[in-house]
Amino acid sequence: MDKLLVRGGEPLKGETKASGSKNSSLPILAATLLASKPVRLSNLPHLRDVTTMLELLAVLGARVSLDESLAVTIDTNSVSNLKAPYDLVRKMRASFLVLGPLLARHGRVEVSLPGGCAIGTRPVDQHLKALELMGATISIVNGYVTATCERGLEGAHVAMDVVTVGGTQNVLMAATLARGTTVIENAAQEPEVVELASCLREMGASITGDGSSTITVDGCNQLQGCSYRVKSDRIEVGTYLIAAAATRGHICIHDACPETLDAVLDTLRDFGPDVQVSGSTIELDARTNSSRATDIFTAVYPGIPTDLQAQFMALNCVSEGVSQITETIFENRFMHVQELVRLGADVRLMDARTATVKGVSQLRGAPVMATDLRASSSLLIGALVATGETAINRIYHIDRGYERIEEKLGWLGADIRRVSV
Ligand code: UD1
């Protein structure tokens, strides 16, 4: 198992380029199951989760090929296996996104329940309720969700009880091949929903309202192939900006989708750094200012993403003053707290959704354990700031979501090494 060895204390400086978005790539890969012609996708990030989704598509029978420019072409006409097995779904919850497309196109599907997760119970009730409203018959047997709709899906009026990104995406995909019109109310407004809708439109789907809380889909008989370039990863960009702020560095990130990061950039400015946007480049300069503790309250888009909560906590750990971190999206998303404390941070959990952070002047290197994807990146930020060496164990979590992280941080001046143990 690999681990990262980080010798902290150096400010991040230099230029880098954002990678393609993981959370956009995964639903778009699932959406290829709807297309009756091959779909070519470029700018997919080279990540473990993307490989898992490609593996799942191949298990279902899709033909996946890679061209010389590293774009992936997926032909799902050969799909004959309609069962998404436990071994792949347990590795990555987003595998559940094949449910809607397979059901809509083939009238039948079996997908393993995603099961437990390090950041809360994460049910899928909203996905299932919506598909039932669209005419699916659903049962759960032996840990698998079986859904059938012999006469195809019917458009329906679906009001989500909670705002769910994956639920909205599953229903959106299913609705493109349903008979009639589907209206999704209380839909997620995240950029990754908008991107999925854009890609589906390229395939010929009729979708309006994405990016608002009501999405309308007019179903059709079949979708075509398309060529689509995945946009940049706003969480990766946010993570590197926070890391630069924590190390009092100065970095530029190109191809950085600033239009999706308003709340994050405003919050970073509250900490003290100078943040400038020019076209698709974001420049953060934290060399002259001290960092001010800033309260963090996660929320659905356009609020501060829960996927940056742990990283902002790491920044607060080395900022002046006391801050409160409130996690509103997931319960039990504070697994990083105990590990940050091992680095010398002063963090107290008030309850399952609130933590208080008292900034300290210095963190000190220590062995720590990554527990989930974003928690790992907060430990990395702590390690970049800390004096001495930090060993981050179980970094396969980081590899799920950050492309070539040690290489990219290395270019920005970090002393970071991957070792196999
Ligand atoms: C996606 C992102 C993840 C991000 C999360 C919230 C991907 C691959 N993952 O996850 O990185 O942290 O959005 O922005 O894009 N819920 C229910 N019932 C359901 C579905 C969800 O109660 O049927 C609840 C969840 O428990 C959670 C909240 O809704 O409390 C939001 O979850 P959701 O938006 O569905 O997250 P994911 O799509 O799994």
mmCIF file with all atom_site columns, all heavy atoms in Angstrom, residues 22-23 26 93-94 122-127 162-166 306-307 329-330 333, ligand 1:
data_model
loop_
_atom_site.group_PDB
_atom_site.id
_atom_site.type_symbol
_atom_site.label_atom_id
_atom_site.label_alt_id
_atom_site.label_comp_id
_atom_site.label_asym_id
_atom_site.label_entity_id
_atom_site.label_seq_id
_atom_site.pdbx_PDB_ins_code
_atom_site.Cartn_x
_atom_site.Cartn_y
_atom_site.Cartn_z
_atom_site.occupancy
_atom_site.B_iso_or_equiv
_atom_site.pdbx_formal_charge
_atom_site.auth_seq_id
_atom_site.auth_comp_id
_atom_site.auth_asym_id
_atom_site.auth_atom_id
_atom_site.pdbx_PDB_model_num
ATOM   1   N N   . LYS A 1 22  ? -13.820 15.040 -11.750 1.00 0.00 ? 22  LYS A N   1
ATOM   2   C CA  . LYS A 1 22  ? -14.222 13.664 -11.410 1.00 0.00 ? 22  LYS A CA  1
ATOM   3   C C   . LYS A 1 22  ? -15.736 13.562 -11.304 1.00 0.00 ? 22  LYS A C   1
ATOM   4   O O   . LYS A 1 22  ? -16.349 12.665 -11.881 1.00 0.00 ? 22  LYS A O   1
ATOM   5   C CB  . LYS A 1 22  ? -13.599 13.266 -10.064 1.00 0.00 ? 22  LYS A CB  1
ATOM   6   C CG  . LYS A 1 22  ? -14.181 11.976 -9.486  1.00 0.00 ? 22  LYS A CG  1
ATOM   7   C CD  . LYS A 1 22  ? -13.566 11.606 -8.163  1.00 0.00 ? 22  LYS A CD  1
ATOM   8   C CE  . LYS A 1 22  ? -14.262 12.127 -6.945  1.00 0.00 ? 22  LYS A CE  1
ATOM   9   N NZ  . LYS A 1 22  ? -15.569 11.503 -6.647  1.00 0.00 ? 22  LYS A NZ  1
ATOM   10  N N   . ASN A 1 23  ? -16.339 14.498 -10.576 1.00 0.00 ? 23  ASN A N   1
ATOM   11  C CA  . ASN A 1 23  ? -17.777 14.367 -10.310 1.00 0.00 ? 23  ASN A CA  1
ATOM   12  C C   . ASN A 1 23  ? -18.652 14.682 -11.523 1.00 0.00 ? 23  ASN A C   1
ATOM   13  O O   . ASN A 1 23  ? -19.844 14.389 -11.516 1.00 0.00 ? 23  ASN A O   1
ATOM   14  C CB  . ASN A 1 23  ? -18.182 15.253 -9.124  1.00 0.00 ? 23  ASN A CB  1
ATOM   15  C CG  . ASN A 1 23  ? -17.748 14.636 -7.803  1.00 0.00 ? 23  ASN A CG  1
ATOM   16  O OD1 . ASN A 1 23  ? -17.204 13.544 -7.784  1.00 0.00 ? 23  ASN A OD1 1
ATOM   17  N ND2 . ASN A 1 23  ? -17.989 15.349 -6.715  1.00 0.00 ? 23  ASN A ND2 1
ATOM   18  N N   . LEU A 1 26  ? -18.053 11.040 -13.883 1.00 0.00 ? 26  LEU A N   1
ATOM   19  C CA  . LEU A 1 26  ? -18.720 9.782  -13.501 1.00 0.00 ? 26  LEU A CA  1
ATOM   20  C C   . LEU A 1 26  ? -20.158 9.710  -14.034 1.00 0.00 ? 26  LEU A C   1
ATOM   21  O O   . LEU A 1 26  ? -20.517 8.724  -14.683 1.00 0.00 ? 26  LEU A O   1
ATOM   22  C CB  . LEU A 1 26  ? -18.658 9.584  -11.981 1.00 0.00 ? 26  LEU A CB  1
ATOM   23  C CG  . LEU A 1 26  ? -17.221 9.481  -11.429 1.00 0.00 ? 26  LEU A CG  1
ATOM   24  C CD1 . LEU A 1 26  ? -17.234 9.414  -9.911  1.00 0.00 ? 26  LEU A CD1 1
ATOM   25  C CD2 . LEU A 1 26  ? -16.494 8.272  -12.013 1.00 0.00 ? 26  LEU A CD2 1
ATOM   26  N N   . ARG A 1 93  ? -19.488 4.672  -4.792  1.00 0.00 ? 93  ARG A N   1
ATOM   27  C CA  . ARG A 1 93  ? -20.919 4.880  -4.713  1.00 0.00 ? 93  ARG A CA  1
ATOM   28  C C   . ARG A 1 93  ? -21.537 5.377  -6.025  1.00 0.00 ? 93  ARG A C   1
ATOM   29  O O   . ARG A 1 93  ? -22.678 5.041  -6.364  1.00 0.00 ? 93  ARG A O   1
ATOM   30  C CB  . ARG A 1 93  ? -21.114 5.932  -3.612  1.00 0.00 ? 93  ARG A CB  1
ATOM   31  C CG  . ARG A 1 93  ? -22.450 6.053  -3.107  1.00 0.00 ? 93  ARG A CG  1
ATOM   32  C CD  . ARG A 1 93  ? -22.497 7.186  -2.116  1.00 0.00 ? 93  ARG A CD  1
ATOM   33  N NE  . ARG A 1 93  ? -23.797 7.806  -2.219  1.00 0.00 ? 93  ARG A NE  1
ATOM   34  C CZ  . ARG A 1 93  ? -24.899 7.292  -1.729  1.00 0.00 ? 93  ARG A CZ  1
ATOM   35  N NH1 . ARG A 1 93  ? -24.864 6.174  -1.069  1.00 0.00 ? 93  ARG A NH1 1
ATOM   36  N NH2 . ARG A 1 93  ? -26.050 7.893  -1.888  1.00 0.00 ? 93  ARG A NH2 1
ATOM   37  N N   . ALA A 1 94  ? -20.764 6.149  -6.787  1.00 0.00 ? 94  ALA A N   1
ATOM   38  C CA  . ALA A 1 94  ? -21.304 6.719  -8.033  1.00 0.00 ? 94  ALA A CA  1
ATOM   39  C C   . ALA A 1 94  ? -21.662 5.639  -9.053  1.00 0.00 ? 94  ALA A C   1
ATOM   40  O O   . ALA A 1 94  ? -22.342 5.920  -10.041 1.00 0.00 ? 94  ALA A O   1
ATOM   41  C CB  . ALA A 1 94  ? -20.310 7.715  -8.626  1.00 0.00 ? 94  ALA A CB  1
ATOM   42  N N   . ARG A 1 122 ? -25.803 7.834  3.786   1.00 0.00 ? 122 ARG A N   1
ATOM   43  C CA  . ARG A 1 122 ? -25.990 8.098  2.352   1.00 0.00 ? 122 ARG A CA  1
ATOM   44  C C   . ARG A 1 122 ? -26.998 7.160  1.685   1.00 0.00 ? 122 ARG A C   1
ATOM   45  O O   . ARG A 1 122 ? -26.634 6.305  0.874   1.00 0.00 ? 122 ARG A O   1
ATOM   46  C CB  . ARG A 1 122 ? -24.640 8.049  1.632   1.00 0.00 ? 122 ARG A CB  1
ATOM   47  C CG  . ARG A 1 122 ? -23.687 9.084  2.157   1.00 0.00 ? 122 ARG A CG  1
ATOM   48  C CD  . ARG A 1 122 ? -22.394 9.117  1.417   1.00 0.00 ? 122 ARG A CD  1
ATOM   49  N NE  . ARG A 1 122 ? -22.446 9.870  0.172   1.00 0.00 ? 122 ARG A NE  1
ATOM   50  C CZ  . ARG A 1 122 ? -21.379 10.137 -0.562  1.00 0.00 ? 122 ARG A CZ  1
ATOM   51  N NH1 . ARG A 1 122 ? -20.206 9.713  -0.206  1.00 0.00 ? 122 ARG A NH1 1
ATOM   52  N NH2 . ARG A 1 122 ? -21.495 10.826 -1.671  1.00 0.00 ? 122 ARG A NH2 1
ATOM   53  N N   . PRO A 1 123 ? -28.284 7.315  2.013   1.00 0.00 ? 123 PRO A N   1
ATOM   54  C CA  . PRO A 1 123 ? -29.298 6.446  1.410   1.00 0.00 ? 123 PRO A CA  1
ATOM   55  C C   . PRO A 1 123 ? -29.520 6.749  -0.072  1.00 0.00 ? 123 PRO A C   1
ATOM   56  O O   . PRO A 1 123 ? -29.001 7.745  -0.600  1.00 0.00 ? 123 PRO A O   1
ATOM   57  C CB  . PRO A 1 123 ? -30.555 6.796  2.214   1.00 0.00 ? 123 PRO A CB  1
ATOM   58  C CG  . PRO A 1 123 ? -30.314 8.173  2.734   1.00 0.00 ? 123 PRO A CG  1
ATOM   59  C CD  . PRO A 1 123 ? -28.837 8.312  2.927   1.00 0.00 ? 123 PRO A CD  1
ATOM   60  N N   . VAL A 1 124 ? -30.300 5.886  -0.743  1.00 0.00 ? 124 VAL A N   1
ATOM   61  C CA  . VAL A 1 124 ? -30.631 6.118  -2.162  1.00 0.00 ? 124 VAL A CA  1
ATOM   62  C C   . VAL A 1 124 ? -32.150 6.146  -2.346  1.00 0.00 ? 124 VAL A C   1
ATOM   63  O O   . VAL A 1 124 ? -32.652 5.947  -3.450  1.00 0.00 ? 124 VAL A O   1
ATOM   64  C CB  . VAL A 1 124 ? -30.000 5.041  -3.085  1.00 0.00 ? 124 VAL A CB  1
ATOM   65  C CG1 . VAL A 1 124 ? -28.496 5.243  -3.193  1.00 0.00 ? 124 VAL A CG1 1
ATOM   66  C CG2 . VAL A 1 124 ? -30.331 3.637  -2.596  1.00 0.00 ? 124 VAL A CG2 1
ATOM   67  N N   . ASP A 1 125 ? -32.865 6.390  -1.256  1.00 0.00 ? 125 ASP A N   1
ATOM   68  C CA  . ASP A 1 125 ? -34.332 6.357  -1.304  1.00 0.00 ? 125 ASP A CA  1
ATOM   69  C C   . ASP A 1 125 ? -34.903 7.323  -2.356  1.00 0.00 ? 125 ASP A C   1
ATOM   70  O O   . ASP A 1 125 ? -35.887 7.007  -3.028  1.00 0.00 ? 125 ASP A O   1
ATOM   71  C CB  . ASP A 1 125 ? -34.915 6.683  0.086   1.00 0.00 ? 125 ASP A CB  1
ATOM   72  C CG  . ASP A 1 125 ? -34.442 8.030  0.607   1.00 0.00 ? 125 ASP A CG  1
ATOM   73  O OD1 . ASP A 1 125 ? -33.218 8.244  0.639   1.00 0.00 ? 125 ASP A OD1 1
ATOM   74  O OD2 . ASP A 1 125 ? -35.287 8.883  0.955   1.00 0.00 ? 125 ASP A OD2 1
ATOM   75  N N   . GLN A 1 126 ? -34.286 8.476  -2.525  1.00 0.00 ? 126 GLN A N   1
ATOM   76  C CA  . GLN A 1 126 ? -34.827 9.471  -3.470  1.00 0.00 ? 126 GLN A CA  1
ATOM   77  C C   . GLN A 1 126 ? -34.696 9.002  -4.917  1.00 0.00 ? 126 GLN A C   1
ATOM   78  O O   . GLN A 1 126 ? -35.566 9.254  -5.743  1.00 0.00 ? 126 GLN A O   1
ATOM   79  C CB  . GLN A 1 126 ? -34.117 10.823 -3.296  1.00 0.00 ? 126 GLN A CB  1
ATOM   80  C CG  . GLN A 1 126 ? -34.309 11.447 -1.928  1.00 0.00 ? 126 GLN A CG  1
ATOM   81  C CD  . GLN A 1 126 ? -35.780 11.697 -1.625  1.00 0.00 ? 126 GLN A CD  1
ATOM   82  O OE1 . GLN A 1 126 ? -36.498 12.315 -2.407  1.00 0.00 ? 126 GLN A OE1 1
ATOM   83  N NE2 . GLN A 1 126 ? -36.245 11.185 -0.494  1.00 0.00 ? 126 GLN A NE2 1
ATOM   84  N N   . HIS A 1 127 ? -33.586 8.314  -5.221  1.00 0.00 ? 127 HIS A N   1
ATOM   85  C CA  . HIS A 1 127 ? -33.401 7.765  -6.572  1.00 0.00 ? 127 HIS A CA  1
ATOM   86  C C   . HIS A 1 127 ? -34.553 6.780  -6.849  1.00 0.00 ? 127 HIS A C   1
ATOM   87  O O   . HIS A 1 127 ? -35.165 6.801  -7.919  1.00 0.00 ? 127 HIS A O   1
ATOM   88  C CB  . HIS A 1 127 ? -32.094 6.962  -6.692  1.00 0.00 ? 127 HIS A CB  1
ATOM   89  C CG  . HIS A 1 127 ? -30.844 7.695  -6.312  1.00 0.00 ? 127 HIS A CG  1
ATOM   90  N ND1 . HIS A 1 127 ? -29.738 7.740  -7.136  1.00 0.00 ? 127 HIS A ND1 1
ATOM   91  C CD2 . HIS A 1 127 ? -30.473 8.390  -5.203  1.00 0.00 ? 127 HIS A CD2 1
ATOM   92  C CE1 . HIS A 1 127 ? -28.759 8.416  -6.552  1.00 0.00 ? 127 HIS A CE1 1
ATOM   93  N NE2 . HIS A 1 127 ? -29.189 8.813  -5.368  1.00 0.00 ? 127 HIS A NE2 1
ATOM   94  N N   . VAL A 1 162 ? -35.194 15.698 -0.577  1.00 0.00 ? 162 VAL A N   1
ATOM   95  C CA  . VAL A 1 162 ? -33.933 16.363 -0.218  1.00 0.00 ? 162 VAL A CA  1
ATOM   96  C C   . VAL A 1 162 ? -33.212 16.695 -1.520  1.00 0.00 ? 162 VAL A C   1
ATOM   97  O O   . VAL A 1 162 ? -33.458 16.054 -2.542  1.00 0.00 ? 162 VAL A O   1
ATOM   98  C CB  . VAL A 1 162 ? -32.996 15.463 0.638   1.00 0.00 ? 162 VAL A CB  1
ATOM   99  C CG1 . VAL A 1 162 ? -33.545 15.192 2.003   1.00 0.00 ? 162 VAL A CG1 1
ATOM   100 C CG2 . VAL A 1 162 ? -32.675 14.161 -0.075  1.00 0.00 ? 162 VAL A CG2 1
ATOM   101 N N   . VAL A 1 163 ? -32.353 17.692 -1.455  1.00 0.00 ? 163 VAL A N   1
ATOM   102 C CA  . VAL A 1 163 ? -31.578 18.019 -2.657  1.00 0.00 ? 163 VAL A CA  1
ATOM   103 C C   . VAL A 1 163 ? -30.469 16.985 -2.782  1.00 0.00 ? 163 VAL A C   1
ATOM   104 O O   . VAL A 1 163 ? -29.599 16.893 -1.915  1.00 0.00 ? 163 VAL A O   1
ATOM   105 C CB  . VAL A 1 163 ? -30.980 19.442 -2.553  1.00 0.00 ? 163 VAL A CB  1
ATOM   106 C CG1 . VAL A 1 163 ? -30.121 19.726 -3.778  1.00 0.00 ? 163 VAL A CG1 1
ATOM   107 C CG2 . VAL A 1 163 ? -32.086 20.464 -2.425  1.00 0.00 ? 163 VAL A CG2 1
ATOM   108 N N   . THR A 1 164 ? -30.525 16.188 -3.827  1.00 0.00 ? 164 THR A N   1
ATOM   109 C CA  . THR A 1 164 ? -29.497 15.167 -4.018  1.00 0.00 ? 164 THR A CA  1
ATOM   110 C C   . THR A 1 164 ? -28.909 15.259 -5.424  1.00 0.00 ? 164 THR A C   1
ATOM   111 O O   . THR A 1 164 ? -29.653 15.247 -6.415  1.00 0.00 ? 164 THR A O   1
ATOM   112 C CB  . THR A 1 164 ? -30.032 13.745 -3.727  1.00 0.00 ? 164 THR A CB  1
ATOM   113 O OG1 . THR A 1 164 ? -29.313 12.788 -4.539  1.00 0.00 ? 164 THR A OG1 1
ATOM   114 C CG2 . THR A 1 164 ? -31.514 13.568 -3.993  1.00 0.00 ? 164 THR A CG2 1
ATOM   115 N N   . VAL A 1 165 ? -27.594 15.339 -5.472  1.00 0.00 ? 165 VAL A N   1
ATOM   116 C CA  . VAL A 1 165 ? -26.901 15.465 -6.754  1.00 0.00 ? 165 VAL A CA  1
ATOM   117 C C   . VAL A 1 165 ? -27.070 14.169 -7.544  1.00 0.00 ? 165 VAL A C   1
ATOM   118 O O   . VAL A 1 165 ? -27.548 14.159 -8.682  1.00 0.00 ? 165 VAL A O   1
ATOM   119 C CB  . VAL A 1 165 ? -25.394 15.777 -6.530  1.00 0.00 ? 165 VAL A CB  1
ATOM   120 C CG1 . VAL A 1 165 ? -24.646 15.812 -7.855  1.00 0.00 ? 165 VAL A CG1 1
ATOM   121 C CG2 . VAL A 1 165 ? -25.231 17.080 -5.772  1.00 0.00 ? 165 VAL A CG2 1
ATOM   122 N N   . GLY A 1 166 ? -26.703 13.044 -6.924  1.00 0.00 ? 166 GLY A N   1
ATOM   123 C CA  . GLY A 1 166 ? -26.792 11.755 -7.611  1.00 0.00 ? 166 GLY A CA  1
ATOM   124 C C   . GLY A 1 166 ? -28.234 11.405 -7.967  1.00 0.00 ? 166 GLY A C   1
ATOM   125 O O   . GLY A 1 166 ? -28.510 10.890 -9.054  1.00 0.00 ? 166 GLY A O   1
ATOM   126 N N   . THR A 1 306 ? -19.552 20.807 0.466   1.00 0.00 ? 306 THR A N   1
ATOM   127 C CA  . THR A 1 306 ? -19.128 19.904 1.546   1.00 0.00 ? 306 THR A CA  1
ATOM   128 C C   . THR A 1 306 ? -17.795 19.252 1.200   1.00 0.00 ? 306 THR A C   1
ATOM   129 O O   . THR A 1 306 ? -17.003 18.932 2.090   1.00 0.00 ? 306 THR A O   1
ATOM   130 C CB  . THR A 1 306 ? -20.198 18.824 1.812   1.00 0.00 ? 306 THR A CB  1
ATOM   131 O OG1 . THR A 1 306 ? -19.672 17.864 2.717   1.00 0.00 ? 306 THR A OG1 1
ATOM   132 C CG2 . THR A 1 306 ? -20.630 18.094 0.547   1.00 0.00 ? 306 THR A CG2 1
ATOM   133 N N   . ASP A 1 307 ? -17.500 19.097 -0.094  1.00 0.00 ? 307 ASP A N   1
ATOM   134 C CA  . ASP A 1 307 ? -16.250 18.454 -0.499  1.00 0.00 ? 307 ASP A CA  1
ATOM   135 C C   . ASP A 1 307 ? -15.027 19.338 -0.237  1.00 0.00 ? 307 ASP A C   1
ATOM   136 O O   . ASP A 1 307 ? -13.897 18.908 -0.480  1.00 0.00 ? 307 ASP A O   1
ATOM   137 C CB  . ASP A 1 307 ? -16.309 18.067 -1.991  1.00 0.00 ? 307 ASP A CB  1
ATOM   138 C CG  . ASP A 1 307 ? -17.211 16.862 -2.222  1.00 0.00 ? 307 ASP A CG  1
ATOM   139 O OD1 . ASP A 1 307 ? -17.677 16.255 -1.242  1.00 0.00 ? 307 ASP A OD1 1
ATOM   140 O OD2 . ASP A 1 307 ? -17.453 16.524 -3.405  1.00 0.00 ? 307 ASP A OD2 1
ATOM   141 N N   . ILE A 1 329 ? -24.481 19.008 4.959   1.00 0.00 ? 329 ILE A N   1
ATOM   142 C CA  . ILE A 1 329 ? -24.879 18.036 3.926   1.00 0.00 ? 329 ILE A CA  1
ATOM   143 C C   . ILE A 1 329 ? -24.808 16.599 4.448   1.00 0.00 ? 329 ILE A C   1
ATOM   144 O O   . ILE A 1 329 ? -25.743 15.821 4.270   1.00 0.00 ? 329 ILE A O   1
ATOM   145 C CB  . ILE A 1 329 ? -23.992 18.173 2.662   1.00 0.00 ? 329 ILE A CB  1
ATOM   146 C CG1 . ILE A 1 329 ? -23.946 19.632 2.187   1.00 0.00 ? 329 ILE A CG1 1
ATOM   147 C CG2 . ILE A 1 329 ? -24.484 17.241 1.549   1.00 0.00 ? 329 ILE A CG2 1
ATOM   148 C CD1 . ILE A 1 329 ? -25.263 20.212 1.716   1.00 0.00 ? 329 ILE A CD1 1
ATOM   149 N N   . PHE A 1 330 ? -23.704 16.240 5.070   1.00 0.00 ? 330 PHE A N   1
ATOM   150 C CA  . PHE A 1 330 ? -23.536 14.864 5.562   1.00 0.00 ? 330 PHE A CA  1
ATOM   151 C C   . PHE A 1 330 ? -23.325 14.865 7.068   1.00 0.00 ? 330 PHE A C   1
ATOM   152 O O   . PHE A 1 330 ? -22.642 15.737 7.603   1.00 0.00 ? 330 PHE A O   1
ATOM   153 C CB  . PHE A 1 330 ? -22.320 14.203 4.916   1.00 0.00 ? 330 PHE A CB  1
ATOM   154 C CG  . PHE A 1 330 ? -22.476 13.970 3.437   1.00 0.00 ? 330 PHE A CG  1
ATOM   155 C CD1 . PHE A 1 330 ? -21.733 14.702 2.529   1.00 0.00 ? 330 PHE A CD1 1
ATOM   156 C CD2 . PHE A 1 330 ? -23.364 13.028 2.960   1.00 0.00 ? 330 PHE A CD2 1
ATOM   157 C CE1 . PHE A 1 330 ? -21.878 14.492 1.165   1.00 0.00 ? 330 PHE A CE1 1
ATOM   158 C CE2 . PHE A 1 330 ? -23.511 12.802 1.594   1.00 0.00 ? 330 PHE A CE2 1
ATOM   159 C CZ  . PHE A 1 330 ? -22.778 13.543 0.700   1.00 0.00 ? 330 PHE A CZ  1
ATOM   160 N N   . ARG A 1 333 ? -19.113 13.674 8.906   1.00 0.00 ? 333 ARG A N   1
ATOM   161 C CA  . ARG A 1 333 ? -18.064 14.018 7.952   1.00 0.00 ? 333 ARG A CA  1
ATOM   162 C C   . ARG A 1 333 ? -16.933 14.784 8.630   1.00 0.00 ? 333 ARG A C   1
ATOM   163 O O   . ARG A 1 333 ? -16.403 15.754 8.092   1.00 0.00 ? 333 ARG A O   1
ATOM   164 C CB  . ARG A 1 333 ? -18.628 14.810 6.765   1.00 0.00 ? 333 ARG A CB  1
ATOM   165 C CG  . ARG A 1 333 ? -17.697 14.718 5.578   1.00 0.00 ? 333 ARG A CG  1
ATOM   166 C CD  . ARG A 1 333 ? -18.148 15.287 4.305   1.00 0.00 ? 333 ARG A CD  1
ATOM   167 N NE  . ARG A 1 333 ? -17.276 14.766 3.238   1.00 0.00 ? 333 ARG A NE  1
ATOM   168 C CZ  . ARG A 1 333 ? -17.385 15.063 1.975   1.00 0.00 ? 333 ARG A CZ  1
ATOM   169 N NH1 . ARG A 1 333 ? -18.316 15.869 1.553   1.00 0.00 ? 333 ARG A NH1 1
ATOM   170 N NH2 . ARG A 1 333 ? -16.556 14.547 1.085   1.00 0.00 ? 333 ARG A NH2 1
HETATM 171 C C1  . UD1 B 2 .   ? -22.278 13.918 -4.737  1.00 0.00 ? 1   UD1 B C1  1
HETATM 172 C C2  . UD1 B 2 .   ? -20.789 13.991 -4.949  1.00 0.00 ? 1   UD1 B C2  1
HETATM 173 C C3  . UD1 B 2 .   ? -20.065 14.130 -3.620  1.00 0.00 ? 1   UD1 B C3  1
HETATM 174 C C4  . UD1 B 2 .   ? -20.627 15.339 -2.852  1.00 0.00 ? 1   UD1 B C4  1
HETATM 175 C C5  . UD1 B 2 .   ? -22.146 15.267 -2.745  1.00 0.00 ? 1   UD1 B C5  1
HETATM 176 C C6  . UD1 B 2 .   ? -22.761 16.515 -2.138  1.00 0.00 ? 1   UD1 B C6  1
HETATM 177 C C7  . UD1 B 2 .   ? -20.375 12.686 -6.930  1.00 0.00 ? 1   UD1 B C7  1
HETATM 178 C C8  . UD1 B 2 .   ? -19.839 11.446 -7.535  1.00 0.00 ? 1   UD1 B C8  1
HETATM 179 N N1  . UD1 B 2 .   ? -20.344 12.788 -5.606  1.00 0.00 ? 1   UD1 B N1  1
HETATM 180 O O1  . UD1 B 2 .   ? -22.538 12.760 -3.954  1.00 0.00 ? 1   UD1 B O1  1
HETATM 181 O O2  . UD1 B 2 .   ? -18.684 14.316 -3.883  1.00 0.00 ? 1   UD1 B O2  1
HETATM 182 O O3  . UD1 B 2 .   ? -20.083 15.343 -1.551  1.00 0.00 ? 1   UD1 B O3  1
HETATM 183 O O4  . UD1 B 2 .   ? -22.726 15.095 -4.047  1.00 0.00 ? 1   UD1 B O4  1
HETATM 184 O O5  . UD1 B 2 .   ? -22.435 17.629 -2.895  1.00 0.00 ? 1   UD1 B O5  1
HETATM 185 O O6  . UD1 B 2 .   ? -20.790 13.604 -7.630  1.00 0.00 ? 1   UD1 B O6  1
HETATM 186 N N2  . UD1 B 2 .   ? -29.680 11.677 0.317   1.00 0.00 ? 1   UD1 B N2  1
HETATM 187 C C9  . UD1 B 2 .   ? -30.837 11.077 0.768   1.00 0.00 ? 1   UD1 B C9  1
HETATM 188 N N3  . UD1 B 2 .   ? -31.497 10.218 -0.066  1.00 0.00 ? 1   UD1 B N3  1
HETATM 189 C C10 . UD1 B 2 .   ? -31.047 9.941  -1.332  1.00 0.00 ? 1   UD1 B C10 1
HETATM 190 C C11 . UD1 B 2 .   ? -29.867 10.568 -1.783  1.00 0.00 ? 1   UD1 B C11 1
HETATM 191 C C12 . UD1 B 2 .   ? -29.198 11.445 -0.933  1.00 0.00 ? 1   UD1 B C12 1
HETATM 192 O O7  . UD1 B 2 .   ? -31.254 11.304 1.893   1.00 0.00 ? 1   UD1 B O7  1
HETATM 193 O O8  . UD1 B 2 .   ? -31.676 9.151  -2.033  1.00 0.00 ? 1   UD1 B O8  1
HETATM 194 C C13 . UD1 B 2 .   ? -28.953 12.630 1.210   1.00 0.00 ? 1   UD1 B C13 1
HETATM 195 C C14 . UD1 B 2 .   ? -27.522 12.160 1.530   1.00 0.00 ? 1   UD1 B C14 1
HETATM 196 O O9  . UD1 B 2 .   ? -27.503 11.262 2.601   1.00 0.00 ? 1   UD1 B O9  1
HETATM 197 C C15 . UD1 B 2 .   ? -26.849 13.474 1.847   1.00 0.00 ? 1   UD1 B C15 1
HETATM 198 C C16 . UD1 B 2 .   ? -27.549 14.460 0.911   1.00 0.00 ? 1   UD1 B C16 1
HETATM 199 O O10 . UD1 B 2 .   ? -28.758 13.839 0.504   1.00 0.00 ? 1   UD1 B O10 1
HETATM 200 O O11 . UD1 B 2 .   ? -27.100 13.837 3.175   1.00 0.00 ? 1   UD1 B O11 1
HETATM 201 C C17 . UD1 B 2 .   ? -26.745 14.834 -0.321  1.00 0.00 ? 1   UD1 B C17 1
HETATM 202 O O12 . UD1 B 2 .   ? -26.323 13.644 -0.991  1.00 0.00 ? 1   UD1 B O12 1
HETATM 203 P P1  . UD1 B 2 .   ? -26.131 13.605 -2.568  1.00 0.00 ? 1   UD1 B P1  1
HETATM 204 O O13 . UD1 B 2 .   ? -26.232 14.981 -3.119  1.00 0.00 ? 1   UD1 B O13 1
HETATM 205 O O14 . UD1 B 2 .   ? -27.002 12.562 -3.134  1.00 0.00 ? 1   UD1 B O14 1
HETATM 206 O O15 . UD1 B 2 .   ? -24.628 13.120 -2.707  1.00 0.00 ? 1   UD1 B O15 1
HETATM 207 P P2  . UD1 B 2 .   ? -24.025 12.204 -3.833  1.00 0.00 ? 1   UD1 B P2  1
HETATM 208 O O16 . UD1 B 2 .   ? -24.735 12.443 -5.113  1.00 0.00 ? 1   UD1 B O16 1
HETATM 209 O O17 . UD1 B 2 .   ? -23.912 10.815 -3.328  1.00 0.00 ? 1   UD1 B O17 1
#
